[in-house]
Amino acid sequence: MKKCEESIPLLHFSLFFIFLFCPLVFSELPSNQRTTMIGLSNLLNKTDLSWNISKDPCSWKGVTCSSGNYSITEISLSGFSLSSSDFLSSLCRIDSLMSIDVSNNALTLIPEDFIKGCGEIGGLERLNISRNRLVGPLPTFQGFVGLKFLDLSFNSLNGNISLQLDGLIALKSLNLSGNKFNGLIPTNLGKAMVLEQLELSVNGFEGGIPDQIMGYQNLTLIDFGENKLSGPVPDRIKDLSKLEVLILSSNKFSGQIPAAISNIRTLSRFAANQNNFKGTVPSGITRFLKNLDLSYNKLSESIPSDMLSPSNLQSVDLSYNLLKGSIPSNISPSLVRLRLGSNSLDGPIPSSVFGKLQKLMYLELDNNSLTGLIPPDLGSCLSLALLNLAGNNLNGTLPGQLGNLSRLQVMKLQSNVLVGEIPVEIAQLQTLSTLNISWNLLNGSIPSSISSLRYLTNMNLQGNHLSGSIPNDISGLDSLLELQLGGNQLTGKIPRMPASLQIALNLSSNHLVGPIPFTFSLLTGLEVLDLSNNQLTGEIPTFLTEIRSLTRLVLSNNQLSGIIPEFGSWLTLDVKGNDHLINATTSNTSPKSAKKGKSVTTALLIGFAAALFTVGVVTGLAMSISRRYYRVNDEQPQSAEDLPPPSPPQVIQGNLLTANGIHRSNIDFTKAMEAVAYSKNITLKTRFSTYYKAIMPSGSSYFVKRINWSDKIFQFGSHDKFWRELEVLGKLSNSNVMTPLAYVLSVDNAYLFYEFSPKGTLFDVLHGSLENALDWASRYSIAVGVAQGLSFLQGCTPGPILLLDLSSRNIMLKSLKEPQIGDIELCKVIDPSKSTGSLSMVAGSVGYIPPEYAYTMRVTVAGNVYSFGVILLELLTGKPAVSEGTELAKWALSNSVRQEKWDHIFDPNISRTSIAIRSQMLQVLKVALGCVNVSPEARPNMKNVLRMLLNAR
Ligand SMILES: *[C@@H]1O[C@H](CO)[C@@H](O)[C@H](O)[C@H]1NC(C)=O
Ligand SMILES: *[C@@H]1O[C@H](CO)[C@@H](O)[C@H](O)[C@H]1NC(C)=O
Ligand SMILES: *[C@@H]1O[C@H](CO)[C@@H](O)[C@H](O)[C@H]1NC(C)=O
Ligand SMILES: *[C@@H]1O[C@H](CO)[C@@H](O)[C@H](O)[C@H]1NC(C)=O
Ligand SMILES: *[C@@H]1O[C@H](CO)[C@@H](O)[C@H](O)[C@H]1NC(C)=O
């Protein structure tokens, strides 16, 4: 049974009553511990723990006993949605406890009794209350003389830290990351000074690194990342002679990188990225390191020649600095990752070193001023998965040896001055997913063997001198999402394209001829199609109007003729420079088409007048009279589309799920099935479902959503199982989640009933004909509402409800301020293993899919946070998730590197209205950028996202 957090009332219990009725046959556990545990099991009865009190507590889930079962040593109640802290104090009666873990719950406070009671358990070594909802200041820990591990990370604790932890004389590991602490870095961390691990990241700590920290000589790990710390890093840091990890990322530290770091023999990881460090990279800094990240600072001058050579070195990131000079040629064979992008490095890429670099997986040297050839021996770097040399001045040809890189997934060589042909060896890169060699001087034709790249998702060859025709077998690239071939000299007709295309198909500015092929009707997921500046002829096919995903269609400067079909209002159409195109009749459905409509009416009137003239006035009159007589008949559905009257689907089973009496009396299955028989009742199609509007006999409207029972990717299993899943979902109650009210099963479809949302989807309101209808107050309220719905879904027990396809097309608006998340059942009923193998086919819409899905092939909580971040960006920028082939998230991330640019990101119509609004938007943007972080671990959880959004108010 699935329940969602909010309130889990705890039963009051009568200890002895229960006790008497439990035969105690086996346990050797002392009776006081048994009693305590039975009491606890009653306090927690309403949760998902399901402890069986007629069994030995040592066998209960989360309970660990000493060998021989003489006493309980560990209690772990992680992830049970516990929201009341009442039970905590009763744990303290078990004086043999060594470890208490109540992480991943919804606790809001640590009761005083708990501190007092458990403080007396001398053997208690570990206390874990991380990932709860604790608020207020850090409590003062008294007693706890044996406590070694204290984890309070990811709560909402605030205030300064002074002496609250000083009594913890055994403390070895302290984790306070992800709270709202402020003030100076605490220095009283256990009088005995035995601390080994100190994690304070993601808080609001200010000031410098205090000298007293260097007194904790046993420290092996310091994580101060993501605070507001400033000033230089003291040289005395070298006194921490056992330090293994030092993280200072995302603060305001300044001054030089302390050369003294290189004296710490134990230090293996140093991260000081995203600060204001200046000056040179000290020589010898990598002497003992495995991992160094100094990216996003202002480091200048050249890279020390010994920097990359130490034999333990695994990863170096110096990207986004101001480094000059050439790349050192002495590179350690142990190196796995080298990132030197976005500096001012020049000179050649060192050659004859890559043969030795058998571990190198990531090589990024992009956006520098490197010259010379791409070294052919790069082809011997057999572990290479990512090669990015884009944005340099590299010349010469593309070496065929690169075809040996059998593990390469991403090849980016765009914006260089490479010449010659695309080597046929490229077809050997069997794991390649991204190929970008655009904006070079490549010539010759596109090798047809390229179609053997089964995993290729993005191919960009635009802006070269490629000639010949597009290979016919290009349709074999059945993972391809984006194809950019614009700005070349390609000739011939357009062949069939891969049906998997989604992001963009760009064939513009070539010499292509012939008609827009009929096979384009298969591109049902395509968002942008650009065929401009070619010599295409024939009509604009009407099937293009049925590609519902299409948002931009560019056909300008061709020789197309005939009538322009009528496109949905969400589509931007460019047809200029086609002299023989005629505008079609349009109704006044949207402001955009209204203008078109007018000139067309004129054209039709002229045509009609001519017809009257030839056929004769009398016939004309007779026609109009007869039409008037038969008007009654015309009222029947006579259009070809609806004849003969469709028969409604046959109901196999129908059930009400809602307990709400109004819905129960309104919903009429027969009426609903009549409504779904008519396509005119379709109000929305999403990737997996079709929404119909059904008006019930009572006059109220409902959404009836059809999912195709017979589609092989759905796994309904038995009708019974489906019903059980739906019953669970039907019990969810949150005003921002669309919960099913009822369902009907027919032979080949399942129909779910929902409350009607008169405003349509967020996508339509934001990017459709209603553009600019949403002011900031509405957008903010939508952001908060969706966040509330998502954190509700993610807080469900026994596990979070994940969304397979979270996008602005799946957010319905009850009003311009009340969003509802739709399609929540998809994760339950879709079986990705039955899809065509590409996760993007099932896991969401392009633009909302987090980058890691490409590797993990698994829908995750953090993945949903990413998709939500994209929705926030849509609200902030007014732009769709993908425009002109660029993903909004990537665009926003790259434009947000320097904060002064943030203003350019916003929808100008909104951000210019007031300073207060602008500052609120800035805060929401910070949240959005956090959500779309490329690293899933770095994304905030929904609870924190919601909190941050509410704080932005
Ligand atoms: C736990 O609660 C359920 C009802 O919520 C009740 O039926 C059951 O008897 C309770 N168990 C105990 C051991 O109190
Ligand atoms: C609890 O354990 C007893 C004894 O092993 C068993 O008979 C009973 O079915 C169990 N109850 C539940 C609800 O699993
Ligand atoms: C301790 O209790 C558990 C669970 O009842 C049992 O599996 C285990 O054999 C017991 N160990 C000893 C040493 O009695
Ligand atoms: C506390 O629990 C969290 C999550 O359950 C876990 O990741 C973390 O390692 C634990 N901390 C300690 C100190 O055991
Ligand atoms: C078609 O309509 C557009 C405006 O929607 C107008 O600019 C264009 O001139 C019209 N073309 C013709 C052939 O009437």
Side-chain angles (χ1 to χ4, degrees):
M1 174 99 296
K2 208 164 215 157
K3 284 190 247 77
C4 287
E5 56 190 47
E6 307 271 272
S7 58
I8 295 162
L10 292 173
L11 283 192
H12 286 282
F13 64 99
S14 159
L15 210 71
F16 295 104
F17 177 81
I18 302 288
F19 189 43
L20 285 176
F21 281 81
C22 292
L24 304 163
V25 268
F26 17 144
S27 164
E28 296 173 54
L29 219 47
S31 68
N32 64 334
Q33 296 207 344
R34 207 182 306 120
T35 316
T36 305
M37 289 309 288
I38 288 168
L40 197 62
S41 94
N42 280 283
L43 271 174
L44 301 173
N45 179 15
K46 275 287 183 70
T47 69
D48 288 300
L49 267 169
S50 60
W51 282 341
N52 185 341
I53 53 165
S54 42
K55 288 191 178 165
D56 178 7
C58 291
S59 73
W60 294 358
K61 199 174 171 195
V63 178
T64 308
C65 293
S66 62
S67 63
N69 292 345
Y70 296 120
S71 57
I72 297 173
T73 54
E74 287 177 32
I75 291 200
S76 171
L77 302 174
S78 181
F80 287 103
S81 299
L82 308 174
S83 59
S84 163
S85 305
D86 296 355
F87 74 93
L88 273 180
S89 310
S90 58
L91 290 179
C92 305
R93 283 188 226 131
I94 306 170
D95 56 7
S96 55
L97 273 183
M98 296 169 72
S99 168
I100 297 176
D101 179 357
V102 290
S103 60
N104 281 314
N105 284 298
L107 306 175
T108 53
L109 64 96
I110 305 177
E112 261 175 53
D113 282 359
F114 175 80
I115 299 280
K116 225 168 147 200
C118 284
E120 285 165 16
I121 307 178
L124 187 64
E125 290 185 352
R126 187 182 297 264
L127 176 58
N128 194 344
I129 320 186
S130 66
R131 296 175 195 275
N132 277 279
R133 298 177 183 177
L134 302 177
V135 291
L138 184 67
T140 299
F141 286 82
Q142 276 164 355
F144 292 98
V145 292
L147 196 67
K148 290 182 181 162
F149 302 89
L150 177 59
D151 192 343
L152 299 172
S153 58
F154 299 98
N155 280 287
S156 298
L157 297 167
N158 60 23
N160 290 344
I161 302 174
S162 56
L163 294 171
Q164 294 98 311
L165 303 170
D166 208 30
L168 299 176
I169 53 170
L171 194 63
K172 279 186 170 176
S173 165
L174 173 65
N175 191 348
L176 302 178
S177 292
N179 279 286
K180 293 168 152 183
F181 291 117
N182 51 30
L184 300 176
I185 294 279
T187 51
N188 298 93
L189 302 169
K191 285 193 193 80
M193 311 279 281
V194 293
L195 195 67
E196 292 173 10
Q197 307 202 327
L198 176 57
E199 291 170 77
L200 303 177
S201 61
V202 197
N203 276 291
F205 290 112
E206 289 164 326
I209 299 180
D211 256 10
Q212 293 94 315
I213 289 294
M214 268 57 86
Y216 291 87
Q217 288 284 311
N218 288 340
L219 276 174
T220 59
L221 179 150
I222 292 180
D223 185 355
F224 290 161
E226 281 196 62
N227 279 288
K228 297 177 187 161
L229 301 170
S230 54
V233 178
D235 257 4
R236 277 196 59 198
I237 197 98
K238 67 172 189 294
D239 295 350
L240 295 174
S241 60
K242 295 181 181 165
L243 203 58
E244 291 165 15
V245 176
L246 176 59
I247 300 174
L248 307 176
S249 316
S250 293
N251 277 288
K252 298 175 184 166
F253 286 114
S254 55
Q256 305 242 343
I257 300 284
I261 296 267
S262 59
N263 294 328
I264 312 176
R265 306 184 73 92
T266 47
L267 194 65
S268 78
R269 177 171 175 208
F270 177 45
N273 50 305
Q274 279 147 304
N275 279 289
N276 296 321
F277 288 111
K278 285 202 282 269
T280 56
V281 180
S283 173
I285 188 161
T286 48
R287 192 143 58 119
F288 302 113
L289 290 179
K290 280 188 177 150
N291 247 287
L292 174 67
D293 189 348
L294 301 177
S295 59
Y296 294 94
N297 279 292
K298 296 184 175 121
L299 300 170
S300 54
E301 302 309 318
S302 55
I303 302 175
S305 61
D306 59 353
M307 171 103 195
L308 304 177
S309 59
S311 57
N312 287 324
L313 200 60
Q314 291 177 357
S315 170
V316 172
D317 192 343
L318 300 175
S319 50
Y320 292 91
N321 277 290
L322 308 167
L323 298 166
K324 292 187 296 202
S326 54
I327 299 172
S329 56
N330 196 348
I331 304 179
S332 165
S334 58
L335 210 62
V336 174
R337 183 192 293 260
L338 179 59
R339 305 186 67 197
L340 303 175
S342 298
N343 279 288
S344 303
L345 300 169
D346 53 25
I349 298 174
S351 59
S352 24
V353 292
F354 290 100
K356 289 185 304 176
L357 305 183
Q358 289 304 305
K359 293 189 174 160
L360 193 65
M361 289 177 74
Y362 307 90
L363 179 61
E364 294 170 72
L365 308 176
D366 54 305
N367 293 312
N368 281 291
S369 304
L370 302 170
T371 52
L373 307 177
I374 296 178
D377 73 330
L378 255 180
S380 342
C381 216
L382 291 177
S383 302
L384 212 57
L386 185 150
L387 174 63
N388 187 352
L389 306 177
N392 282 291
N393 298 318
L394 300 171
N395 55 31
T397 57
L398 255 174
Q401 285 89 335
L402 293 185
N404 297 337
L405 298 172
S406 57
R407 303 207 182 134
L408 197 66
Q409 293 178 30
V410 176
M411 184 196 280
K412 291 184 165 189
L413 305 174
Q414 73 268 24
S415 303
N416 280 291
V417 282
L418 302 169
V419 296
E421 301 198 3
I422 301 174
V424 288
E425 289 90 340
I426 209 152
Q428 299 165 18
L429 299 173
Q430 280 303 313
T431 53
L432 200 65
S433 73
T434 297
L435 173 64
N436 192 342
I437 46 179
S438 61
W439 308 110
N440 279 291
L441 306 169
L442 300 169
N443 57 25
S445 56
I446 302 173
S448 82
S449 56
I450 215 163
S451 60
S452 67
L453 299 177
R454 290 287 319 282
Y455 294 103
L456 202 61
T457 56
N458 303 69
M459 173 148 85
N460 192 340
L461 310 180
Q462 74 181 314
N464 280 291
H465 300 316
L466 300 170
S467 54
S469 54
I470 303 173
N472 264 324
D473 29 17
I474 200 151
S475 63
L477 291 170
D478 53 15
S479 300
L480 204 63
L481 300 174
E482 177 179 18
L483 179 58
Q484 302 277 355
L485 299 178
N488 280 293
Q489 286 146 27
L490 300 167
T491 52
K493 291 188 180 172
I494 302 176
R496 183 185 184 131
M497 288 291 162
S500 54
L501 281 171
Q502 285 184 27
I503 300 174
L505 172 57
N506 180 355
L507 306 177
S508 65
S509 302
N510 279 291
H511 307 304
L512 300 167
V513 297
I516 298 176
F518 178 71
T519 49
F520 274 19
S521 60
L522 302 172
L523 307 179
T524 51
L526 191 63
E527 311 213 356
V528 176
L529 176 59
D530 189 345
L531 304 175
S532 61
N533 298 298
N534 280 292
Q535 284 119 48
L536 301 175
T537 50
E539 302 197 344
I540 302 178
T542 48
F543 60 70
L544 290 179
T545 64
E546 274 148 40
I547 304 184
R548 307 247 336 163
S549 52
L550 208 58
T551 56
R552 202 167 133 80
L553 177 58
V554 191
L555 302 173
S556 49
N557 303 319
N558 277 290
Q559 288 149 27
L560 299 166
S561 56
I563 295 174
I564 304 172
E566 194 183 339
F567 287 94
S569 57
W570 57 85
L571 182 130
T572 316
L573 176 67
D574 186 351
V575 293
K576 65 176 180 293
N578 286 282
D579 294 341
H580 302 291
L581 277 179
I582 305 164
N583 285 335
T585 334
T586 52
S587 52
N588 281 351
T589 45
S590 78
K592 266 183 210 149
S593 53
K595 235 206 228 147
K596 227 188 273 170
K598 202 168 165 194
S599 51
V600 172
T601 325
T602 325
L604 281 183
L605 276 179
I606 295 167
F608 192 60
L612 276 186
F613 191 77
T614 38
V615 177
V617 178
V618 179
T619 336
L621 270 178
M623 269 173 64
S624 77
I625 290 167
S626 72
R627 281 194 77 80
R628 203 175 293 169
Y629 273 110
Y630 288 108
R631 213 170 139 182
V632 182
N633 277 350
D634 287 356
E635 305 257 286
Q636 306 288 331
Q638 292 271 321
S639 72
E641 192 191 52
D642 283 336
L643 263 179
S647 54
Q650 276 215 307
V651 177
I652 293 180
Q653 190 182 348
N655 278 303
L656 289 164
L657 299 164
T658 177
N660 179 313
I662 301 177
H663 294 317
R664 291 180 80 94
S665 66
N666 277 343
I667 290 174
D668 179 322
F669 293 145
T670 318
K671 199 79 186 164
M673 291 305 102
E674 280 166 27
V676 302
Y678 288 94
S679 58
K680 68 174 192 311
N681 291 327
I682 296 179
T683 55
L684 173 71
K685 279 188 174 175
T686 64
R687 185 172 297 274
F688 300 106
S689 29
T690 306
Y691 286 78
Y692 295 82
K693 179 181 180 176
I695 303 175
M696 297 299 166
S698 66
S700 326
S701 298
Y702 284 84
F703 271 137
V704 178
K705 178 167 89 179
R706 188 189 72 200
I707 27 193
N708 286 333
W709 192 261
S710 50
D711 193 324
K712 67 178 189 323
I713 115 166
F714 291 111
Q715 45 163 17
F716 292 109
S718 69
H719 287 178
D720 267 4
K721 177 167 176 282
F722 182 65
W723 181 15
R724 280 199 303 275
E725 297 280 13
L726 281 183
E727 282 220 297
V728 171
L729 295 177
K731 290 216 172 72
L732 299 181
S733 154
N734 181 287
S735 58
N736 297 117
V737 173
M738 277 181 93
T739 42
L741 306 170
Y743 75 92
V744 160
L745 301 180
S746 71
V747 181
D748 45 8
N749 293 306
Y751 298 89
L752 308 187
F753 291 61
Y754 301 92
E755 278 183 74
F756 188 66
S757 301
K759 297 289 179 194
T761 68
L762 175 59
F763 180 88
D764 288 339
V765 174
L766 210 48
H767 314 302
S769 56
L770 286 172
E771 262 176 72
N772 301 337
L774 279 184
D775 59 6
W776 174 247
S778 301
R779 293 186 195 203
Y780 176 72
S781 157
I782 290 170
V784 170
V786 177
Q788 254 155 3
L790 279 179
S791 63
F792 169 81
L793 290 171
Q794 296 193 350
C796 288
T797 49
I801 296 181
L802 296 176
L803 291 148
L804 201 52
D805 185 18
L806 175 58
S807 78
S808 59
R809 284 190 177 85
N810 279 320
I811 310 282
M812 305 284 171
L813 296 179
K814 270 169 85 180
S815 76
L816 290 182
K817 295 195 168 179
E818 294 171 285
Q820 285 201 310
I821 302 168
D823 282 354
I824 61 167
E825 71 287 341
L826 287 182
C827 254
K828 293 268 171 240
V829 298
I830 283 184
D831 180 0
S833 68
K834 297 216 181 90
S835 79
T836 54
S838 148
L839 188 81
S840 64
M841 282 300 289
V842 292
S845 313
V846 171
Y848 300 89
I849 304 172
E852 73 274 11
Y853 280 12
Y855 314 100
T856 58
M857 301 294 273
R858 207 162 66 82
V859 179
T860 61
V861 170
N864 275 190
V865 172
Y866 181 95
S867 309
F868 175 70
V870 177
I871 293 176
L872 281 185
L873 289 171
E874 283 181 85
L875 290 166
L876 288 164
T877 61
K879 293 182 200 296
V882 179
S883 55
E884 295 173 35
T886 306
E887 291 189 26
L888 183 57
K890 286 182 189 150
W891 176 83
L893 280 173
S894 68
N895 276 277
S896 65
V897 175
R898 298 282 172 223
Q899 215 161 8
E900 59 270 17
K901 281 201 182 165
W902 284 24
D903 267 346
H904 302 296
I905 294 178
F906 295 141
D907 188 340
N909 295 323
I910 304 272
S911 66
R912 295 210 184 113
T913 47
S914 90
I915 292 179
I917 285 179
R918 211 187 124 262
S919 89
Q920 205 183 20
M921 290 177 81
L922 274 173
Q923 295 197 56
V924 175
L925 178 60
K926 281 186 197 161
V927 181
L929 293 173
C931 293
V932 297
N933 195 312
V934 282
S935 148
E937 297 81 30
R939 292 175 205 145
N941 67 20
M942 268 330 285
K943 267 189 337 194
N944 286 335
V945 167
L946 178 59
R947 196 188 66 204
M948 292 187 280
L949 286 177
L950 290 172
N951 285 346
R953 207 193 295 268

